[in-house]
Amino acid sequence: MADPTDRPALAPSAGDGAPHVRDQAGDPDAFLPLGTIPYGVTNGDYDPASFDGLDFYRVDDLLTDDEKALRDRLREYVSAEVQPVIEQHAQALTFPLDVARGLARLGAIGPTIPAEYGGLGASSVAYGLAMQEVERADSGLRSFCSVMGSLVMYPIYTYGSEEQKRRWLPRLATAEAVGCFALTEPDVGSDPGSMTTRARRDGDDYVITGHKRWSTNASIADVALVWAKDDDGDVRGFLIETDLDGVSTPRIMDKWSLRAAVTSEVVLDEVRVPASAMLPNVKGLKGPLSCLTQARYGIAWGVLGAAMACYDAALQHTTSREQFGRPVAGFQLVQNHIADMLAGITKAQLVAWRLGRMKDEGTMRPAHVSLAKRDNVRMALSVARQSRQLLGGNGVLGIYPVMRHMANLESVVTYEGTDEVHTLVLGLEATGINAFS
């Protein structure tokens, strides 16, 4: 596996201080960072820097040295550089692009892409572990990395021309260029075949008109992978640079979830692109759906990080806070919650690990990913909710990561296929009967 630390540090880009990045709802410095002890509290501790990953079934023994090395690099960076600022960015509705580029320099974006195109040539398990460590900080940051790697780099590498690969992949891998994925529309979610965005052929060009929604990164993106129907009604993917005439990417601000991520619309008004902007090697819904399979795989790993962060906060708090003359963790009902969380995380780790090995062996199918995405997200939501209860009133404060993770996971359970859609995928797998129609 290539060593990402050989990459040069990036100079700040011209967009780093652009209004669409910085001019948001608040100032991150106005909010308290994680781990701040509330005024007057002397009973109960939490230090995010003391995080120690849960590994009850010794999953580490199943990992290669390269896989552990990538995880450990990112774990150290997240603890040192991301945790101290991420809560404040979420409170202020700002996105830490400099932090995201630091993650990219360590290999968090598109690590399975071959080194000749800017990736690391890493295993799928290594990619999953990377998403776990990023989402331990925040689901919004993991969304940034997932979109870049699974929804933009993957289709360019798999379906793009050599020119498209050479132009975009190395710059995306370092986050010098930012990409977004535009599939969902205001009136079209779980049924992408009903999209209304159109790509009309006009000589050597295509003219694209449509409206996409819920596109992570779009307001700061340099390129959007837009899925549209051509004159024959076939779904095709187009790499559209966001500074072209007719492209606008208004940011969605009124959200209680994924507040440290840039969530946007992509509006296309007669946008003219050359035919060379189209991904040449895929046609139909296979294109976007195969991308979503990659992203769902990353989610199944990422939510392990969110769950472990919540579990760690609850464990630190309950073992250090005393009530009725003993640690809160010494009460039976509290230990019931802790045991449930430990068991849930452990089972989800084994599912994710096995799925990763199947992916690299070529035996993974979309239904396998549906099970992992559905059940691991359910587990993470349960852990977040139980952790919030164990933290008492302070559990709603930003000095703990739990309430933020819980709110973020309400988005994660919906995007990349809702819980219900994945349930129907599994039902079809088990019965052979299609309940979608």
Side-chain angles (χ1 to χ4, degrees):
M1 186 171 78
D3 184 355
T5 58
D6 290 339
R7 294 172 176 164
L10 291 172
S13 76
D16 280 358
H20 63 248
V21 178
R22 301 297 187 198
D23 186 16
Q24 302 299 342
D27 176 8
D29 292 335
F31 299 93
L32 295 175
L34 282 177
T36 303
I37 302 299
Y39 177 74
V41 172
T42 59
N43 183 8
D45 297 327
Y46 171 59
D47 177 11
S50 67
F51 172 84
D52 186 19
L54 175 64
D55 189 16
F56 189 64
Y57 264 28
R58 298 180 62 88
V59 175
D60 260 24
D61 295 347
L62 305 173
L63 306 177
T64 68
D65 289 343
D66 280 346
E67 289 163 351
K68 287 185 280 191
L70 178 60
R71 180 202 60 194
D72 292 347
R73 283 196 300 269
L74 288 166
R75 180 169 292 181
E76 181 179 356
Y77 180 82
V78 165
S79 293
E81 304 294 337
V82 186
Q83 297 282 39
V85 301
I86 191 61
E87 181 65 36
Q88 295 149 290
H89 279 287
Q91 294 275 7
L93 269 172
T94 53
F95 178 67
L97 185 57
D98 55 341
V99 165
R101 285 182 167 154
L103 292 167
R105 285 194 291 271
L106 295 174
I109 296 178
T112 60
I113 298 292
E116 66 176 302
Y117 295 113
L120 304 180
S123 72
S124 295
V125 169
Y127 167 61
L129 290 165
M131 295 304 95
Q132 169 188 288
E133 293 308 311
V134 175
E135 193 151 358
R136 179 168 68 86
D138 190 79
S139 300
L141 265 180
R142 197 266 309 140
S143 294
F144 175 88
C145 295
S146 288
V147 166
M148 294 276 281
S150 294
L151 299 183
V152 183
M153 292 180 70
Y154 167 81
I156 293 174
Y157 175 70
T158 306
Y159 305 124
S161 66
E162 189 63 23
E163 179 184 358
Q164 290 168 339
K165 295 176 190 179
R166 298 288 178 189
R167 180 181 182 192
W168 289 112
L169 291 179
R171 295 171 60 209
L172 290 165
T174 59
E176 175 190 352
V178 175
C180 69
F181 179 87
L183 175 65
T184 299
E185 298 181 353
D187 294 326
V188 179
S190 297
D191 180 18
S194 297
M195 70 176 68
T196 61
T197 300
R198 294 292 184 267
R200 173 175 54 84
R201 189 67 186 251
D202 185 21
D204 293 332
D205 298 334
Y206 282 92
V207 178
I208 301 175
T209 298
H211 184 182
K212 301 294 187 176
R213 189 166 171 82
W214 302 119
S215 178
T216 298
N217 301 343
S219 298
I220 59 171
D222 300 285
V223 62
L225 175 51
V226 175
W227 298 93
K229 287 185 177 178
D230 64 13
D231 294 332
D232 296 324
D234 292 320
V235 174
R236 306 302 299 254
F238 295 86
L239 294 168
I240 300 178
E241 294 177 59
T242 57
D243 60 357
L244 291 176
D245 289 343
V247 179
S248 60
T249 55
R251 186 172 173 186
I252 299 170
M253 298 293 290
D254 53 333
K255 56 180 182 173
W256 290 107
S257 182
L258 300 179
R259 290 172 61 87
V262 175
T263 310
S264 315
E265 303 179 58
V266 179
V267 182
L268 306 140
D269 183 11
E270 297 284 299
V271 178
R272 182 174 292 272
V273 297
S276 60
M278 184 176 70
L279 297 179
N281 299 317
V282 71
K283 180 168 66 174
L285 283 174
K286 172 188 174 182
L289 294 183
S290 66
C291 299
L292 292 174
T293 296
Q294 305 303 312
R296 291 162 181 163
Y297 169 82
I299 289 170
W301 280 92
V303 295
L304 292 173
M308 285 195 288
C310 294
Y311 173 82
D312 179 68
L315 194 63
Q316 287 194 46
H317 175 82
T318 57
T319 54
S320 64
R321 183 174 177 84
E322 293 190 358
Q323 295 291 291
F324 304 103
R326 64 194 299 190
V328 173
F331 292 96
Q332 291 180 357
L333 289 177
V334 172
Q335 290 199 4
N336 181 66
H337 284 299
I338 292 171
D340 281 349
M341 291 189 286
L342 182 150
I345 293 169
T346 298
K347 289 183 284 187
Q349 287 173 324
L350 293 169
V351 167
W353 172 81
R354 179 60 187 143
L355 186 67
R357 292 290 183 245
M358 291 170 65
K359 190 174 190 298
D360 284 337
E361 293 163 1
T363 58
M364 184 190 84
R365 295 186 287 109
H368 295 138
V369 183
S370 286
L371 185 149
K373 195 271 186 181
R374 186 192 80 143
D375 282 37
N376 283 14
V377 175
R378 285 183 176 184
M379 175 279 301
L381 268 170
S382 175
V383 168
R385 290 164 179 162
Q386 290 181 87
S387 297
R388 214 254 10 111
Q389 287 180 271
L390 295 182
L391 290 169
N394 286 336
V396 304
L397 298 179
I399 60 174
Y400 295 99
V402 174
M403 196 75 178
R404 174 167 49 83
H405 280 303
M406 187 164 64
N408 285 343
L409 289 166
E410 289 294 344
S411 291
V412 178
V413 77
T414 297
Y415 70 29
E416 316 292 1
T418 66
D419 182 279
E420 293 80 6
V421 164
H422 290 300
T423 296
L424 295 182
V425 169
L426 295 174
L428 173 60
E429 186 77 10
T431 68
I433 302 171
N434 186 351
F436 284 95
S437 59

